[in-house]
Amino acid sequence: MGGSLNANHLMFLGHGALWTIGLSLIGLLGGGIAGFVIALCRISPSLIVRLLSAGYVQLIQGTPLLVIMFLTYFGLPTLGVTVSPLTAAGASLTIYVGAYLGEIWRGSIESVPKPQWEAAEGLALSRSQRMTKVILPQAIRIATPPTVGFMVQIIKNTSLASVVGFVELARSGQIINNSLFEPFLIYTIIAAIYFALCYPISRISRRLERRSGPASLSLGTA
Amino acid sequence: MNLNLDFAVILERWPTFVDGALLTLQLAFIATVLGTAIGVLGAIGRRSSHPIVSRLCGIYVEAIRNTPLLVQIFLVYFGLASLGVKFSAFTVAAAALTINVGAYTTEIIRAGFDSIPRGQIEAAEGLALSRAQIYWHVVMWPAIEKVYPSLTSQFVLLMLASSVTSQISAEELTAVANYVQSDTYRAFETYILVALVYIVLSLIMRAGFWLLGFVIFPRRRRLGTPL
């Protein structure tokens, strides 16, 4: 019971919120690059590449992010590789987000109508030309609403970085709570800040979805 | 990098891992059953013509879907404690997971309800079915059948997300792993093993839901394909 909530505490929470945003951007960027590679591997003409990338997606989608976090932060040091909380959290998010975005984007690429592929082939475009000039521009439009929706999942998932001691929003809430012991008040504030970060993005995603027609359900729990 | 992995020390403790996995499955089962019930009620509530009811259901869904499970778990944990009632970590974990997955299920089942063509309901009205009969036979079962794949993926994600309840020391699989690794100093092996157990659990759940689909949807059983 060390006094009551004051401006310093709120500053600390604000600082945590900034790190939540920062970590989300790292996850989005790293996971985006990984996801793009995975999406391309998933539709590769080579069977081995397709199988390996499908195996990666199955492995990651069958494992909780929390366990991936523990594995990178506590597991790698036992192999002699020491990682900072930021590196561990960023790497875990990249690995995790890459698998999910990869699947979303593979679906988007595959839902570009088949005649578009055939027409591009008929125009004697090479595979990379077909991809960059015909398929991807259309796939990006299909992929935008679910990708924006998944950004909400990324922001919420960054809260799990608190378990490896990375001081983002959830962790800064825990730290303040340890000194004030007013859990209900503090976690309500934390939840409100997460809501303020996520809700606008949810709204944008839903509006994009409505505009683009077919409703796709965005999954997620974290 | 010194690669001397020793899985034997970890595998020796297999009974604790089995206990943890069973508790994870129990949590997932409770939250799936109760979450489905909340989802059906919530979806009916969201489509209610009563503005306050549909508004409240909407607030519930948005509040849960836009905040992290970790924070929800802390809120339920400390919220129940501040009521002066002492609950076990397992009860709190099950309650938090149910509240969480209920919001996602509400949204999925509502999408299913919305996908039922108006003409079907009009036809049922023309056949003089009661409101309850229409909801049960014409809206609910076909809607759930349509969204069954999304629902089941959601429940698998829920099982994986139950790992977060280790943070309030519910003794499920991840908590067991934390304990074993702090005891053996074999963090890498422990978490690799636990990741594998989670993958197996998610495969078991998927297979289970696939079989369940044949049992509860006679059309799928007869035709071998979903709607």
Side-chain angles (χ1 to χ4, degrees), chain A residues 74 156 174 202 206 220-221, chain B residues 62 65-66 74 100 104 154:
Chain A
F74 296 112
K156 290 188 296 173
Q174 282 172 332
S202 297
R206 208 166 317 144
T221 356
Chain B
E62 293 302 336
R65 278 166 49 109
N66 289 298
F74 285 142
N100 179 274
Y104 289 91
Q154 187 64 59

Side-chain angles (χ1 to χ4, degrees), chain A residues 58-67 70-71 74-81 96 100 152-153 155-157 159-160 162-163 170 174 177 181 183-188 190-192 194-196 198-202 206 217-222, chain B residues 1-5 62-72 74-75 78-79 82 100-101 104 107-108 111 147 150-151 153-154 156-158 160-161 163-164 166-167 174 178 181 185-189 191-192 194-196 198-199 202-203 206:
Chain A
Q58 284 299 317
L59 280 182
I60 301 300
Q61 292 198 345
T63 316
L65 176 60
L66 194 65
V67 172
F70 282 138
L71 193 58
F74 296 112
L76 289 182
T78 63
L79 300 181
V81 188
Y96 183 80
Y100 281 86
V152 176
Q153 306 296 330
I155 295 176
K156 290 188 296 173
N157 276 325
S159 67
L160 297 183
S162 63
V163 299
Q174 282 172 332
N177 183 41
F181 210 74
F184 205 68
L185 171 70
I186 290 164
Y187 287 117
T188 307
I190 300 291
Y194 273 112
F195 186 82
C198 295
Y199 187 62
I201 302 176
S202 297
R206 208 166 317 144
L217 289 162
S218 51
L219 298 170
T221 356
Chain B
M1 200 159 151
N2 54 329
L3 261 179
N4 52 343
L5 297 179
E62 293 302 336
I64 297 296
R65 278 166 49 109
N66 289 298
T67 50
L69 175 62
L70 183 69
V71 177
Q72 292 163 14
F74 285 142
L75 269 175
F78 292 114
S82 71
N100 179 274
V101 80
Y104 289 91
E107 202 55 10
I108 293 174
V147 296
S150 317
L151 268 183
S153 327
Q154 187 64 59
V156 174
L157 283 177
L158 161 81
L160 298 175
S163 60
V164 179
S166 62
Q167 295 303 303
T174 307
N178 292 343
Q181 73 95 7
Y185 297 102
R186 291 276 171 196
F188 190 78
E189 292 91 327
Y191 290 120
I192 285 283
V194 162
L196 285 176
Y198 272 111
I199 291 167
S202 57
L203 289 177
R206 269 183 214 160

